[in-house]
Amino acid sequence: MAPGSLAEQLRARRDQLGQDGGRKTSLRKNPMNGEDMGRKKKNRKKNGPKSSDPTSHPPTLEAKKKKKRKRKRKKDNDACASTRPQPTRPTPSTCPKKKIRGSALQQRMRERLQGAHFRWLNEKLYTCKGNEAFEYFQSNPSLFEKYHQGFAKQAESWSFNPLDEMISAVRKHPRWVVADFGCGEARLAASVSNTVHSFDLVAGNPRVTPCDMANVPLPSKSIDLAIFCLSLMGTNTSDFIKEAHRCLKSNGLLKI
Ligand code: SAH
């Protein structure tokens, strides 16, 4: 075979590259000292950092201890991870966000139901006579409570509550004897120093005398002021006015 032939060139090249057979790594020489960098890297992995470096020292006792401690720590961590509670997918009952949203929705629905119930009871009061309303609420006092819860809820959104106006008017005449027809929870009586007779279908508290306001337990000509605050409801309102007139003194005042 002629020197310089392809086969010869290949052999020469193989000799030049040595046992590695020309793997890419062996071709990378350190430009500073000509050392084979691929092998150096491999050796470093095998023997620890810079073991082939003549300037590096064999690992000291302290370094060995440090390495041992590190290995132990890793082992402990792994063991701990397996006993640690694993994060679970939140179910609708464990997911706090969903729970809040759920209860807010429930709350809204409850309020709507209460509102509807209040309107229904209000309608009932407007479409029956006073004595029928009295019998109805006396046999279902809890409905009366519901009615007033709904009423109070509605009142929260008013810019002006006429009962406050009535209270201011009564305070100007502390000597007057007052009758509050359809007093609700008797807030008027609780807010003034006057003698106040409070009437409603059900006694929500001890200030209230339960009755139909077409027939109140008061002597004739005994009061200075008769008040109907948002309470002239029912199909016989004229009977309520006549009853107030009966109770009022001759120079008495009616406020609606
Ligand atoms: N005056 C109160 C309550 C107004 S709600 C306020 O302003 O806050 C109307 C009230 O009138 C209800 O409490 C209702 O029970 C009462 N009412 C309606 N018809 C009645 C009747 N025939 N006899 C007694 N109270 C009556």
Side-chain angles (χ1 to χ4, degrees):
M1 200 178 294
S5 72
L6 185 62
E8 216 168 56
Q9 278 176 28
L10 278 173
R11 199 177 306 123
R13 179 83 174 126
R14 207 182 306 132
D15 290 348
Q16 186 193 348
L17 296 175
Q19 292 297 324
D20 274 357
R23 262 184 279 156
K24 266 186 182 172
T25 51
S26 63
L27 283 173
R28 289 177 56 219
K29 303 269 183 194
N30 187 333
M32 300 303 284
N33 56 14
E35 199 183 328
D36 184 340
M37 283 177 57
R39 183 161 299 164
K40 188 176 172 184
K41 200 171 171 185
K42 206 168 150 195
N43 285 343
R44 200 184 302 153
K45 258 192 189 167
K46 212 164 103 190
N47 304 330
K50 292 193 174 175
S51 64
S52 62
D53 185 350
T55 57
S56 75
H57 303 287
T60 61
L61 192 64
E62 183 51 37
K64 273 186 188 166
K65 274 187 185 168
K66 205 171 163 186
K67 210 167 169 184
K68 204 173 164 186
R69 277 202 299 272
K70 197 173 165 186
R71 237 183 283 137
K72 190 173 178 304
R73 242 193 340 262
K74 189 176 180 313
K75 208 172 149 190
D76 287 352
N77 276 345
D78 288 351
C80 204
S82 64
T83 55
R84 227 177 268 146
Q86 297 299 308
T88 50
R89 222 162 186 242
T91 61
S93 61
T94 59
C95 178
K97 207 171 174 185
K98 281 207 172 149
K99 212 170 172 186
I100 287 164
R101 248 191 256 154
S103 69
L105 181 67
Q106 281 173 349
Q107 180 65 21
R108 258 208 320 276
M109 298 307 285
R110 209 175 293 126
E111 278 171 13
R112 277 189 172 203
L113 263 175
Q114 279 171 354
H117 205 166
F118 165 74
R119 283 191 295 278
W120 187 84
L121 291 169
N122 207 37
E123 182 75 11
K124 172 109 191 127
L125 282 172
Y126 272 102
T127 53
C128 70
K129 290 179 79 173
N131 61 336
E132 290 164 2
F134 180 63
E135 278 167 30
Y136 181 75
F137 278 105
Q138 279 295 318
S139 55
N140 299 286
S142 67
L143 289 183
F144 184 79
E145 201 182 312
K146 285 210 167 71
Y147 175 79
H148 274 281
Q149 279 169 1
F151 181 83
K153 188 90 198 144
Q154 298 271 318
E156 275 173 22
S157 61
W158 299 342
S159 56
F160 160 76
N161 189 332
L163 187 63
D164 294 326
E165 177 73 19
M166 297 290 186
I167 291 168
S168 307
V170 173
R171 280 185 180 150
K172 286 179 190 153
H173 307 279
R175 286 172 182 274
W176 284 6
V177 177
V178 181
D180 186 3
F181 290 80
C183 63
E185 287 162 346
R187 184 158 71 87
L188 187 139
S191 312
V192 298
S193 59
N194 304 55
T195 299
V196 180
H197 302 284
S198 305
F199 303 113
D200 210 299
L201 297 168
V202 172
N205 65 59
R207 291 181 198 274
V208 184
T209 303
C211 64
D212 169 20
M213 48 190 191
N215 185 19
V216 297
L218 279 183
S220 299
K221 300 188 189 296
S222 59
I223 60 172
D224 301 288
L225 174 65
I227 289 178
F228 290 90
C229 183
L230 305 172
S231 58
L232 269 184
M233 51 211 307
T235 54
N236 60 328
T237 49
S238 57
D239 292 341
F240 307 150
I241 303 289
K242 278 181 198 156
E243 181 66 345
H245 183 253
R246 179 187 72 78
C247 298
L248 277 168
K249 293 176 186 170
S250 49
N251 60 343
L253 191 68
L254 172 66
K255 268 180 107 57
I256 299 174

